[in-house]
Amino acid sequence: MADVLTTTHLEAIGGHETTLGPDLLVRLHDVMVRARCLEERLIRMNKQGDGFFWIGGPGEEALNGSIGLLVNKGEGPEYDYLHFHYRSSATLLAMGVDPIGTLRQQKNTATDPYSAGRNFCNHYAIRKWNVVPVSSPIEVQFAMAPGTALANKRAGGRGITIVQGGDAGTAEGDFATCLIWCSRPNAELPCLMVIANNGWGISTPAREQHGERHIADRATAFGIKSAVIDGNDAEATYREVKKAMDYVRSERKPFVLEAMVSRLYGHSSGTGANFVPGEPDCIVLFEQKLEARKILTRAAMDELRAKYTQELLEMSKRVRDEPQPHGEDIWQHIFSERAWPRARGLAGDDAAKGSAGSKKKNGV
């Protein structure tokens, strides 16, 4: 993992460090443990042949869980728009998704609520919560984010756009696109850009790829405020994610947050998905703090992990017997079932002209 630093550039968002309340710490711990158990179950499913590929976020639970607990979820531009990547399972769990849906996507069952068995795990898409479909191509979400941030700005209120990716993906032009379009003078957009920096691409160490000291330092050239945080410190991470979100909500301007995290099971099943020793583990560190403060006992924490491990095992057994998609379903979910010209108020000759123009354009 790259060097972990204490928060820098915090003068950008102000505030002082405070201790979170016990109830909130327990809730955050619950989300983090459940997310880790989910990822470990997905890895086991993949190795047992119940899924073609796994990629996820073990080691990022403090960051992703904090984001999920702080999101203003709902549908439409008055709420937060969320552009995540395939390491964001803890965020969605914190928001309230049922983990069995993730298991179904891993197994590619017809009951998969996100893609009907067409995609691999952690590719979420939830219209009612403004979760924009997760895409497999690296970092394209950063090119989409200014669009929803513009919708947030025009709608008014406190809705913001949150977009997240990894450190390696920031080498793509989509990241620069987001910086540029969110920072135009007098046209700034309420967009929080989150970089989960685990120090690696697939197999390329960050020190061989990045000439800048911190990825967040790029924000300075665009007049965007930024911070670098220790993403393995759950309490500090929640606090700084909240500060960053509050800044974007109130100032209606962009912010770049870089979290230094660990990658505990390698890049994906393509590299084995085996546990990587020697990396800081945000859950282990958090549990040490909770036990020292007498907020949770070791026995209670072990019982929680055992509970979620068993629940997810039982869910995976259910999913194993669920049907796979049928070949004739390949055309489903490709085109909208709605008559969009009529939905936009066009009718009669206008709708016919629109249909004819569309056919001509497509060579029909």
Side-chain angles (χ1 to χ4, degrees):
M1 194 184 81
D3 292 337
V4 174
L5 304 180
T6 56
T7 304
T8 61
H9 309 306
L10 278 181
E11 67 280 0
I13 48 180
H16 303 284
E17 291 192 5
T18 56
T19 300
L20 303 181
D23 290 345
L24 178 55
L25 292 174
V26 169
R27 186 182 179 197
L28 178 57
H29 172 260
D30 184 276
V31 167
M32 292 170 61
V33 171
R34 196 179 190 203
R36 178 68 59 81
C37 291
L38 172 60
E39 294 287 8
E40 290 175 347
R41 174 51 51 190
L42 293 171
I43 291 171
R44 289 188 179 94
M45 287 177 66
N46 172 257
K47 292 187 175 184
Q48 292 167 354
D50 289 327
F52 297 102
F53 188 74
W54 168 84
I55 188 168
E60 299 184 17
E61 291 89 355
L63 171 65
N64 296 332
S66 296
I67 293 172
L69 291 176
L70 289 163
V71 159
N72 180 21
K73 67 182 183 182
E75 184 175 357
E78 297 84 7
Y79 298 92
D80 295 349
Y81 280 104
L82 309 171
H83 300 260
F84 295 138
H85 62 163
Y86 34 68
R87 300 191 188 277
S88 299
S89 59
T91 303
L92 277 296
L93 282 182
M95 291 175 65
V97 304
D98 188 336
I100 196 170
T102 308
L103 302 184
R104 285 169 170 151
Q105 191 167 59
Q106 170 74 334
K107 179 66 175 173
N108 298 115
T109 64
T111 53
D112 161 24
Y114 308 114
S115 64
R118 300 168 186 272
N119 222 326
F120 55 88
C121 66
N122 297 332
H123 279 56
Y124 297 96
I126 308 175
R127 180 188 291 269
K128 68 178 181 179
W129 292 345
N130 285 348
V131 178
V132 179
V134 172
S135 178
S136 296
I138 301 299
E139 225 70 2
V140 296
Q141 64 269 26
F142 278 90
M144 303 175 191
T148 55
L150 181 59
N152 289 133
K153 182 173 183 176
R154 288 176 174 174
R158 289 175 61 81
I160 65 175
T161 286
I162 302 168
V163 55
Q164 182 177 356
D167 54 294
T170 62
E172 301 285 341
D174 306 88
F175 181 67
T177 294
C178 196
L179 293 172
I180 293 168
W181 284 97
C182 289
S183 64
R184 293 181 300 151
N186 302 314
E188 294 91 348
L189 299 178
C191 181
L192 174 60
M193 295 166 246
V194 181
I195 305 154
N197 188 345
N198 61 31
W200 289 90
I202 296 177
S203 58
T204 304
R207 64 181 179 274
E208 296 179 5
Q209 177 67 25
H210 295 284
E212 75 277 26
R213 184 164 178 252
H214 298 297
I215 295 168
D217 291 340
R218 297 190 206 169
T220 304
F222 296 89
I224 300 175
K225 297 184 184 299
S226 65
V228 181
I229 65 173
D230 181 355
N232 282 314
D233 184 331
E235 187 172 22
T237 295
Y238 182 95
R239 185 172 57 240
E240 304 310 335
V241 168
K242 185 177 187 304
K243 285 181 183 179
M245 282 193 188
D246 288 346
Y247 171 84
V248 178
R249 291 192 197 285
S250 60
E251 298 298 323
R252 314 308 290 165
K253 293 182 178 181
F255 193 90
V256 174
L257 184 70
E258 180 179 0
M260 311 305 291
V261 297
S262 296
R263 191 175 72 171
L264 297 181
Y265 282 86
H267 178 75
S268 66
S269 58
T271 58
N274 296 315
F275 182 76
V276 180
E279 290 273 322
D281 186 329
C282 59
I283 294 180
V284 171
L285 295 172
F286 193 27
E287 290 184 342
Q288 290 172 352
K289 181 181 292 189
L290 294 174
E291 191 173 11
R293 291 190 195 171
K294 301 186 184 306
I295 295 174
L296 287 173
T297 64
R298 182 70 263 168
M301 293 184 288
D302 290 343
E303 182 179 347
L304 182 69
R305 179 179 282 267
K307 169 192 169 185
Y308 285 140
T309 298
Q310 184 62 32
E311 284 183 0
L312 287 158
L313 172 61
E314 296 302 321
M315 289 180 189
S316 69
K317 291 178 180 178
R318 287 171 53 192
V319 169
R320 189 173 296 162
D321 296 328
E322 292 181 352
Q324 297 288 298
H326 296 291
E328 57 267 26
D329 295 336
I330 192 171
W331 301 113
Q332 292 185 5
H333 315 299
I334 302 300
F335 299 103
S336 172
E337 300 298 328
R338 293 182 62 184
W340 284 103
R342 293 185 182 280
R344 291 196 299 267
L346 300 177
D349 292 341
D350 289 337
K353 290 176 183 178
S355 176
S358 176
K359 290 180 179 179
K360 183 176 180 181
K361 181 178 180 181
N362 290 284
V364 178

